[in-house]
Amino acid sequence: MRAKVRPSLLPRESAAQSRGANDRVSHALVRPFRFASGRVGPAGVLAQPDYRALGRWAGARVAVLLAATIPVFTVFSDRAGPWTMGAWYAIVCALAAALIRMERGFAQQEHALPAAPDRHHHCGTIGLAGLAFALPIALFPGAAMAGPGPHFAAMQVLLGVYVVALAMAVRAALAFAAIFGIGGAVGLLMAGGLEWGAGAAAAQLCIAGLAAAGAVILARLSASLNTARAGAREKEETLSLLLREFEHDRAEWLWQVDGTRRMRHVSPRFATALGIEAQAAEGLPLIEAIAGEGWKTGALPASLRDLAERLKRREAFSGTIVRVQVNGTARWWELSGTPICDEGGRFAGFRGVGSDVTERTENAQKVARLARYDQLTGLPNRMMLNENLRRAMTDAASPHGHCAFLSIDIDRFKTVNDTLGHAIGDALLVQVAQRLREMMGAGDMCGRMDGDEFGIVMTGDASAAAVQAMAAAIIERVSRPYDIDRHAVHIGLRIGSATYAGNAETGESLMRRADLALEWAKEAGGGVHLAYEPGMQAEADKRRALENALHQAVENAELDLQFQPVVDTESESIVGFEALLRWNSAAHGRIAPDVFIPIAERTGAIVPIGEWVLNRACEEAAKWPAHVRLAVNVSPEQLLHENFTRALSHALDNSGLSPARLELEVTESVFLRDGAAVQATFRRIEGLGCTIALDDFGTGYSSLGYLRTHRFSTIKIDRSFVQGATKNSAESVAILRAVVALADALDMTTTAEGVENDSELENIRRLGCTRIQGYLFGSPMDAREARALFGHGGEAGVR
């Protein structure tokens, strides 16, 4: 991560520190000495680190100088006398002491030395050189040759060391070496002449030259070293400024641990994240500080264990999310770290950056939960069930492994929603979910698929017997009555299941098999569980093919209408016809109505098909005598469609059929839909002038309340009661008498369906039914045959 240092954002003292560091660096960048040009250094200015070096080594350097003067004192004392040399030695010591004070004062300088003190030091050094060595040799040139050789040699060596030690002030060192070399060489030439003094003078000059070269080299190395140190300090100070600005402007903080994984250089922001003072945090183990009670119990979160392992293995990491405990509160941190090494290349710990991402992590967890859990019931949704099912199928891939999926549908749930409201329906789903959750075994999972459908993933023992036992227990438990907001709610369940036994399937395919078994269970009635069988798939494929063909049936002219007569009970004359739909498919042959009508209702194809039936039937009925009525069956899906009354009006207008001659037949199942919508549709139908008949009364959800709240022109009695009355069934006879009496009281007609012989006809007459419909008076016939029944007079009978 990179950041720019913006001077305007730095604290005032930080900017000053930065300028001071830059000044020191610029002063340290002394131009290197170049031997080729003959110039040995900058003129008049020394870098601040050199001054401090002069001050640190001033005492040792003067001690070397004074040690070098001892051989001089010894050599020249015989020629000059002890008193003279003693005075000379005292002056040398005084001048050396003055230089010590001067150089130690230089150590306190923050910047480059001003020109005047620098000149004073330069002159003092030259004076000391001339006084200590050049003057005695110039005054007593013969003493050097006459004195002890070892003493003189020791003096030469010590003076060379002094010159090198003076390299921090390179101009002074070179001046000292020049005086020492030239003065000594002149003295030796004066004492010995060219015969032997020339060699000694040359040696003297060589010693001085070597000392000067050593001083120059040392000065150059010192300058390079100081430059490098100044650059390192500048980089360190710049980095420090960057890091301070980084922590000041960003939510992240810096952290560092040593080789033992203990925190070092704890910044205030990091200390705030830890919930303790920076000084108290210094030296604490990082994992211990952020583990909370888990450090004592050993129950560390997986993320913290992973972090500890990375630190232990000295692995760099980036963007690692860890769960920490700060003052007893769980937080989420994002940490990145890199191993660091000391100057010797040895591992020295970790340094990195971190930030508190608790809000972001918790929001991500909420999003993940929303994606996998149902918000109403708290159960897993279809996605999570599918994921769990795939894992269960992987675990069950062994030869003897099994798992199963159960698809559950609530029977009569729509009725609860429509009659009691969606709030009661939602509360019902919550209680159903709670009962299912309580019945789950270890490893099982229940979830809400959609609407009123639930799913269960069974693991462990998922044999056919275990699945059957589970399904039976669920039906028994979940179907028990519910008390919701002082309403007693009764529902039923239907369950379809599919078992996985190691064959090549996916979770979705297993779910589809369970759903297919559920569809069969719905057709079988309430409280039923069916397990998937291969034949179900074949039947489903057949139905799907029929669905596709049915959508094209109207366009391909494969539909036809037949008409079955309805006769008056007493006169046996035709009073109407019921229009019956037939389908002769080009691909599948003749399909029975009880097969394709449910398919049309389920797929929505019943709406366009129903409109075609209305138009075609009205056109045909308009050709009949005026007293003959037309009855047309209307599906609940068609009746409650938003365009139904418009389509009905259009059929009447186009055909010219009087609305009073059209009777729409509905079954009791229509009352399971939205009651208000049914009432509104009935009112619009009556407003057009049509009548409504209640078909198959007594076989479904029969209620006398329907007859009280809705106006019907006709009640059609199902064939099962007609047959029961013929067989002298007391219950059937009683029901028929009650329905006929009720219809008479409400000014309704009654039509008995399925009359097939004279015995049934006599019973129906005796019980008082108004009309009769059945094979005794005619089977369904095409339109041409129906018209032929009327002949030329307009009156028709069928026997």
Side-chain angles (χ1 to χ4, degrees), residues 639-641 670 673-684 710:
L639 182 74
L640 296 180
H641 192 269
V670 73
R673 307 302 179 92
D674 187 343
V678 172
Q679 285 276 30
T681 303
F682 280 3
R683 285 194 295 270
R684 288 194 292 269
H710 302 282

Side-chain angles (χ1 to χ4, degrees), residues 700-754:
Y701 305 95
S702 300
S703 171
L704 295 179
Y706 301 151
L707 304 181
R708 179 177 59 84
T709 57
H710 302 282
R711 292 171 56 91
F712 296 101
S713 60
T714 302
I715 297 178
K716 300 190 72 173
I717 301 172
D718 187 72
R719 167 174 167 73
S720 59
F721 294 103
V722 174
Q723 291 177 325
T726 303
K727 297 177 181 178
N728 296 320
S729 168
E731 293 82 1
S732 296
V733 172
I735 291 174
L736 278 172
R737 285 176 176 170
V739 171
V740 170
L742 181 63
D744 290 342
L746 296 176
D747 194 24
M748 301 177 185
T749 61
T750 53
T751 300
E753 296 181 299

Side-chain angles (χ1 to χ4, degrees), residues 1 250-252 318-322 331-336 354-368:
M1 186 176 296
R250 302 289 296 269
E252 293 89 346
S318 176
T320 299
I321 306 297
V322 296
R331 308 290 296 177
W332 291 95
W333 287 1
E334 182 178 2
L335 298 177
S336 299
S355 60
D356 191 311
V357 293
T358 302
E359 183 177 356
R360 187 183 76 190
T361 303
E362 290 179 348
N363 288 339
Q365 290 175 344
K366 290 179 182 178
V367 171

Side-chain angles (χ1 to χ4, degrees), residues 468 495-498 514 517-522 524 528-532 536:
Q468 176 62 37
I495 300 178
S497 66
L518 176 61
E519 291 300 319
W520 282 77
K522 289 179 180 179
V528 175
H529 161 245
L530 291 179
Y532 171 80
M536 294 179 179

Side-chain angles (χ1 to χ4, degrees), residues 16-372:
Q17 292 172 0
S18 178
R19 289 193 297 271
N22 291 336
D23 291 342
R24 291 193 294 273
V25 171
S26 64
H27 294 154
L29 298 178
V30 181
R31 282 177 292 177
F33 302 101
R34 288 173 286 185
F35 294 102
S37 64
R39 289 176 292 176
V40 294
V45 180
L46 288 175
Q48 186 254 352
D50 293 324
Y51 289 127
R52 293 183 175 179
L54 281 173
R56 285 196 303 268
W57 297 101
R61 191 168 54 254
V62 171
V64 171
L65 176 65
L66 295 179
T69 59
I70 293 175
V72 177
F73 181 85
T74 304
V75 171
F76 290 96
S77 59
D78 293 340
R79 183 68 61 89
W83 288 103
T84 301
M85 293 306 296
W88 168 82
Y89 193 72
I91 295 173
V92 170
C93 289
L95 186 56
L99 283 174
I100 289 177
R101 285 195 302 273
M102 184 184 298
E103 290 176 354
R104 286 182 174 172
F106 294 166
Q108 308 304 319
Q109 294 292 329
E110 290 293 333
H111 304 294
L113 195 65
D118 185 57
R119 285 196 302 271
H120 294 163
H121 177 264
H122 192 58
C123 293
T125 303
I126 294 174
L128 184 60
L131 178 65
F133 305 106
L135 181 61
I137 294 176
L139 293 177
F140 313 102
M145 301 304 299
H151 288 73
F152 194 78
M155 179 191 71
Q156 303 292 329
V157 174
L158 290 173
L159 288 176
V161 172
Y162 180 80
V163 171
V164 174
L166 195 61
M168 280 71 75
V170 66
R171 291 192 307 156
L174 293 177
F176 193 99
I179 295 172
F180 161 60
I182 296 173
V186 171
L188 291 173
L189 283 173
M190 290 173 62
L194 295 176
E195 182 179 353
W196 56 269
Q204 179 75 11
L205 290 173
C206 287
I207 293 174
L210 290 174
V216 170
I217 293 173
L218 185 59
R220 187 173 183 179
L221 292 175
S222 177
S224 298
L225 180 60
N226 290 336
T227 300
R229 288 176 176 172
R233 281 196 300 273
E234 182 184 28
K235 290 180 181 179
E236 183 176 351
E237 291 178 2
T238 302
L239 178 60
S240 178
L241 293 174
L242 287 172
L243 295 181
R244 283 197 296 271
E245 184 188 8
F246 175 81
E247 285 203 336
H248 182 268
D249 294 343
R250 302 289 296 269
E252 293 89 346
W253 25 260
L254 303 169
W255 61 274
Q256 182 174 339
V257 296
D258 59 18
T260 61
R261 299 184 286 281
R262 294 178 179 272
M263 294 182 289
R264 301 297 180 192
H265 311 298
V266 179
S267 65
R269 190 180 294 277
F270 185 28
T272 301
L274 290 167
I276 55 179
E277 295 293 333
Q279 293 180 349
E282 192 74 24
L284 285 178
L286 174 63
I287 302 301
E288 179 181 352
I290 62 179
E293 292 298 323
W295 178 261
K296 300 177 182 178
T297 62
L300 294 179
S303 58
L304 269 185
R305 291 198 300 270
D306 179 66
L307 175 63
E309 285 298 317
R310 290 177 180 270
L311 295 175
K312 184 177 180 181
R313 294 195 299 265
R314 304 177 182 179
E315 294 179 356
F317 53 91
S318 176
T320 299
I321 306 297
V322 296
R323 188 173 186 271
V324 303
Q325 287 281 338
V326 177
N327 293 332
T329 302
R331 308 290 296 177
W332 291 95
W333 287 1
E334 182 178 2
L335 298 177
S336 299
T338 304
I340 56 176
C341 298
D342 59 16
E343 295 178 355
R346 295 179 296 272
F347 173 73
F350 273 82
R351 181 184 292 127
V353 64
S355 60
D356 191 311
V357 293
T358 302
E359 183 177 356
R360 187 183 76 190
T361 303
E362 290 179 348
N363 288 339
Q365 290 175 344
K366 290 179 182 178
V367 171
R369 181 173 181 83
L370 287 173
R372 286 175 168 77

